[in-house]
DNA sequence: CATGAATGAGTTTTCATTCAT
DNA sequence: TATGAATGAAAACTCATTCAT
């Protein structure tokens, strides 16, 4: 479960998990405040509650911290999103429910989403790919929800597009909050975006059917 | 027009403009490649064709360069977008035309869009606000196009939301290219997004009218 | 016999000897590879087959390891050299035999000789003196061999010089191998050096006799 | 002349030469005192009379300093040795003169010779090869002197061996001073070594001639 | 006796910025 | 105006050593 791309000199796996948990917590709050590049490893150590030497017993490089953080965020989003989907009763209402939950999740995790958006690029290719795969997985999950919950048959491309849009619109609530959160409450934002989404989808489907 | 937030020791305004032009050009290509933080001022000076000493005659801090770059990018996007809008013949076709142009513009400026998305946060509040105002202006412009071109009457909120969605979907083509550009050509992306957008809007309008 | 300059917290002397044996073996192969300074105590512990904590039960500082290693090497050289000398039948042939054995010994222990040459200086005065005394002992031994085996009477100085030359020429085979071992096989090297040595000595003796 | 393996960010070549001269001087005295590994770059900078930042304008890594130092030492030895050889009047007396000068040179540069012997190994292969080539050149020079100055014809191997012996015996005066300089004055050392050398060579030649 | 997690002083290196020429 | 040498604070990372278990 723990990303073992990151090598630790500590043998006790449980301890590694615990310390990394502390580390992620400390680092996230620092990254929120000042970004990855402006945060020093010493600050991370201090915020995690241990010494710089100890920090480096659990990671190899500063980038490892970023990776751990990004991975943890994705994992959290993914877990929470999965827990909400009721695969057994597919219906438009279910879809609406998922959209609602997802948007609320994004609201909860605004800062974390920002970190992802702005810092993932600093990961080196290998680890970036790993993290992005998780994002792909989530979009795929949304695609499945859409396909399952909507009665109309849609092209794969349209499903993909809708899932992407929905995914980004959720994030948009976080990374454009300076703009949106002046004009919208979370409730109206969810409601109007859901409305748009469903109208676009059903009509789209309907019009495609006729054609 | 030139952002005079940034103070220069040089008197000759024309020269300042010229040197900053060189600077922006050099810096953009470096930021594309390695991001703001990993680019050094020496590299910027070299890429701009002058010495580090000269660089500092035209700016006060490294952040100034970032500001100049961000500002220039926004200015460029804004100018090109404005040039395309035909305010005198509002119609759905005009709207479609604007969407098309905007998406193609985003395609052209993928790298620059990425810089914006990932580096603006490194600006200090004051200058960040300045740059974001430009983004606000652009969304406002899109809102006007929507209001003007669509026959139906929509709530301000829905217009704002549609404009934001459209704006972000354009950017999404750039910052999610690793995902989207495997599945879509630019043409199909534009076509399906336009389709979704219009269906959502008109249906939305229609349904609101009835209500 | 075991260098008790180095203090251990462990009481059981036999165990101390055993562990230090492991330690020396591990350290020598590491020092050969990367030198004393570039080798870490953790690596030494691992190569010795126990933990870093255990390592420090048997030594006080990293330098102690170096001392132990140097001491062991000298001890080994000394022992092997002593074992070869036949004090009961002094003759030029015996001398030749000693030279031959010594050079072959140096050939066997090239890496160890290199460690000595390059790292002894890192010992602190006290321990360095201890180690160097062993070197002095060996030269003295060679002096005795020379005096005993050669019929001619030589000045103490000349004997000392000859012993030193011989000693260094043996080491030279190791630390100048990049140069010598392209031009000489061990056999020719031994043969020519022996030739030089004997000619110098006898002639010298002869000439001195005359004088 | 200056080793341009080592890259500097400073353009003014003269300045580079001057600063490196300062650097070498500072570093040599530190290396003499505590060796390469125990000397910090900050100490080198201070001893050179400039800041740590400036130090790094003239080199890339700490190892560069070592290379510069080793190179300078060799260059100095080589130059001084060359200057002493009188190629126009080859004779045994000339050979003796060269030996004498070389041994005195080694006496002058004892500390530097020690640095070479103990630290060259820390250079990376590439630069080590470069430095060692200089040593090879010097031995070659000695070989030429021997061949030219001695009337007898010797095998190449014997010439090479004699040159190596002579070379190492000079260095031996430096790196075994703790042993030798108690028993010998420089003068007696030179005189006896010369004696040995010549006797070995001529007799050798003589004996070979007979054979 | 053995272990290995914790520590933090110390090391090399970078780089934004200044200022004399 | 233009240059580029000089600066030093700050950063990432290492590693000998300790000590609780």
């Amino acid at each position: 479960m723990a990303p073992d791309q990151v090598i630790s000199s500590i043998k006790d796996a449980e301890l590694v998990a615990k310390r990394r948990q502390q580390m992620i917590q400390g680092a996230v709050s620092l990254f929120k405040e000042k970004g990855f590049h402006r945060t020093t490893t010493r600050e991370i150590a201090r915020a995690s509650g241990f010494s710089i030497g100890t920090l480096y017993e659990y990671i190899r490089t500063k980038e490892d911290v970023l990776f751990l953080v990004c991975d943890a965020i994705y994992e959290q989003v993914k877990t929470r999103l999965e827990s909400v989907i009721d695969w057994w009763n597919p219906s438009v209402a279910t879809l609406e429910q998922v959209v609602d939950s997802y948007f609320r999740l994004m609201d909860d995790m605004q800062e974390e989403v920002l970190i992802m958006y702005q810092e993932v690029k600093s990961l080196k290719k290998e680890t970036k790919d790993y993290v992005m795969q998780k994002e792909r997985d989530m979009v795929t999950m949304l695609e499945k929800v859409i396909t399952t919950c909507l009665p109309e048959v849609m092209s794969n491309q349209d499903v993909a597009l809708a899932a992407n849009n929905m995914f980004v619109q959720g994030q948009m609530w976080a990374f454009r909050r300076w703009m949106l959160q002046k004009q919208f409450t979370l409730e109206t934002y969810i409601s109007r975006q859901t409305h748009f989404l469903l109208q676009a989808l059903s009509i789209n489907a309907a019009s495609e059917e006729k054609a």
Side-chain angles (χ1 to χ4, degrees), chain A residues 36-55:
Chain A
F36 172 68
H37 281 103
R38 296 205 198 285
T39 301
T40 70
T41 51
R42 295 190 114 85
E43 287 170 323
I44 296 172
R46 200 177 322 126
S48 312
F50 32 72
S51 70
I52 183 67
T54 301
L55 178 72

Side-chain angles (χ1 to χ4, degrees), chain A residues 171-186:
Chain A
Q171 294 179 148
M172 184 169 129
W173 178 250
F175 65 71
R176 292 178 76 76
R177 57 182 169 185
W178 52 278
M179 186 157 218
L180 293 172
Q181 300 187 17
K182 278 182 188 161
Q183 309 182 62
F184 295 86
T185 63
L186 176 60

Side-chain angles (χ1 to χ4, degrees), chain A residues 111-154:
Chain A
E111 307 271 16
E112 284 82 0
V113 171
L114 272 174
I115 293 178
M116 299 278 337
Y117 254 75
Q118 290 162 349
E119 313 291 7
V120 169
K121 68 141 195 309
S122 296
L123 294 173
K124 67 169 185 289
K125 193 177 175 343
E126 209 180 339
T127 46
K128 185 157 53 185
D129 288 350
Y130 177 89
V131 169
M132 286 185 157
Q133 184 52 46
K134 295 216 162 145
E135 183 159 328
R136 236 178 244 116
D137 293 347
M138 288 175 57
V139 175
T140 306
M141 203 190 305
L142 294 181
E143 289 176 359
K144 275 194 205 135
V145 174
I146 293 173
T147 323
T148 319
C149 293
L150 284 191
E152 301 88 350
V153 175
M154 292 169 63

Side-chain angles (χ1 to χ4, degrees), chain A residues 21-74:
Chain A
Q21 203 43 50
Q22 293 176 261
M23 217 165 80
I24 289 166
Q25 210 161 349
V28 164
S29 81
L30 286 166
F31 292 174
K32 280 177 186 176
E33 190 191 325
K34 37 195 337 204
F36 172 68
H37 281 103
R38 296 205 198 285
T39 301
T40 70
T41 51
R42 295 190 114 85
E43 287 170 323
I44 296 172
R46 200 177 322 126
S48 312
F50 32 72
S51 70
I52 183 67
T54 301
L55 178 72
Y56 274 91
E57 291 290 313
Y58 292 91
I59 54 162
R60 274 258 190 293
T61 68
K62 188 184 173 191
E63 214 208 271
D64 283 349
V65 181
L66 179 58
F67 173 65
L68 253 20
V69 162
C70 290
D71 186 68
I73 295 175
Y74 264 122

Side-chain angles (χ1 to χ4, degrees), chain A residues 153-210:
Chain A
V153 175
M154 292 169 63
S155 74
N156 286 342
Q157 264 199 339
D158 278 0
V159 171
L161 195 57
N164 264 288
N165 284 350
M166 178 181 153
F167 190 74
V168 170
Q169 279 157 15
Q171 294 179 148
M172 184 169 129
W173 178 250
F175 65 71
R176 292 178 76 76
R177 57 182 169 185
W178 52 278
M179 186 157 218
L180 293 172
Q181 300 187 17
K182 278 182 188 161
Q183 309 182 62
F184 295 86
T185 63
L186 176 60
E187 270 66 34
T188 44
Y189 184 74
I190 295 178
S191 136
R192 297 319 292 156
Q193 284 288 32
T194 307
H195 187 79
F196 273 9
L197 178 70
L198 289 181
Q199 295 300 16
L201 286 184
S202 54
I203 284 301
N204 173 64
S207 70
E208 301 252 315
E209 250 166 50
K210 271 185 276 180

Side-chain angles (χ1 to χ4, degrees), chain A residues 76-133:
Chain A
Q76 202 180 338
V77 174
K78 210 175 141 191
T79 308
R80 286 188 51 180
L81 189 56
E82 272 168 343
S83 79
V84 124
I85 304 180
D86 179 359
W87 294 107
W88 309 117
N89 299 303
S91 71
V92 172
T94 303
L95 177 55
E96 285 182 287
Q97 170 58 28
V98 169
V99 172
D100 183 89
S101 301
Y102 171 61
F103 279 24
R104 287 180 195 282
L105 179 54
M106 290 294 101
D107 186 60
D108 273 7
M109 300 185 66
Q110 290 183 41
E111 307 271 16
E112 284 82 0
V113 171
L114 272 174
I115 293 178
M116 299 278 337
Y117 254 75
Q118 290 162 349
E119 313 291 7
V120 169
K121 68 141 195 309
S122 296
L123 294 173
K124 67 169 185 289
K125 193 177 175 343
E126 209 180 339
T127 46
K128 185 157 53 185
D129 288 350
Y130 177 89
V131 169
M132 286 185 157
Q133 184 52 46

